[in-house]
């Protein structure tokens, strides 16, 4: 399973979340995994679940907690840690936004994992992802793979979906 973080402010969708959904769906197609969206929600009603459900996902989880009403890195990290432990995903995919850069490393560290951030494209090789990110102020591209046990945390740069590679198999 691939968990996709849906970022919003007062139930107004951050459109980069749809890019994260598209990335998770492409990865899922290449690796044979299903994508599930997670929407953080305070104690009130959030109408995003119906909208997000229209994007061909296996499931939409609404994580409700009073801690999620107003963004704080600790509140989001607590909620995400609980969701990840309950669902046991292979990948956690997010858009590379300021909010994600604030809380995602905290969640990954709590689980003893790392975050591969600001990815611009990927390719599947032998059932694993090779993630490409820019380094040295965008002058070079670096291919990165992750090892160890799942979950693997990946954030995609906004607008990167046009550069996704196709699957290849290891020879």
């Amino acid at each position: 399973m691939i968990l996709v973080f849906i970022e919003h402010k007062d139930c107004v969708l951050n459109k980069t979340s749809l890019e994260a959904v598209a990335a998770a769906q492409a990865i899922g197609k290449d690796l044979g995994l299903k994508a599930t969206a997670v929407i953080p929600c305070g104690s009130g009603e959030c109408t995003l679940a119906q909208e997000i459900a229209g994007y061909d996902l296996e499931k939409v989880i609404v994580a409700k907690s009073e801690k999620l009403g107003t963004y704080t890195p600790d509140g989001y990290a607590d909620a995400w840690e609980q969701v990840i432990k309950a669902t046991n995903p292979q990948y956690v995919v997010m858009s590379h936004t300021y909010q994600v850069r604030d809380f995602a490393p905290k969640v990954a560290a709590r689980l003893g994992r790392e975050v591969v951030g600001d990815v611009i494209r990927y390719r599947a090789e032998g059932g694993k992802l090779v993630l490409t990110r820019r380094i040295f102020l965008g002058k070079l591209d670096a291919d990165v793979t992750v090892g160890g046990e799942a979950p693997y945390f990946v954030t995609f740069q906004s607008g990167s979906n046009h550069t996704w590679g196709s699957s290849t198999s290891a020879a």
Side-chain angles (χ1 to χ4, degrees), residues 17-38:
S17 291
L18 298 180
E19 293 181 22
V21 168
Q25 290 170 329
I27 292 168
K29 182 179 175 189
D30 287 341
L31 300 181
L33 300 170
K34 299 283 187 183
T36 294
V38 179

Side-chain angles (χ1 to χ4, degrees), residues 116-121 131-144 157:
V116 179
D118 217 11
V119 172
I120 59 168
R121 67 179 165 263
L131 305 161
T132 303
R133 55 185 316 272
R134 296 259 154 90
I135 59 173
F136 297 115
L137 299 174
K139 292 179 171 80
L140 296 173
D141 289 351
D143 287 342
V144 179
Q157 188 179 101

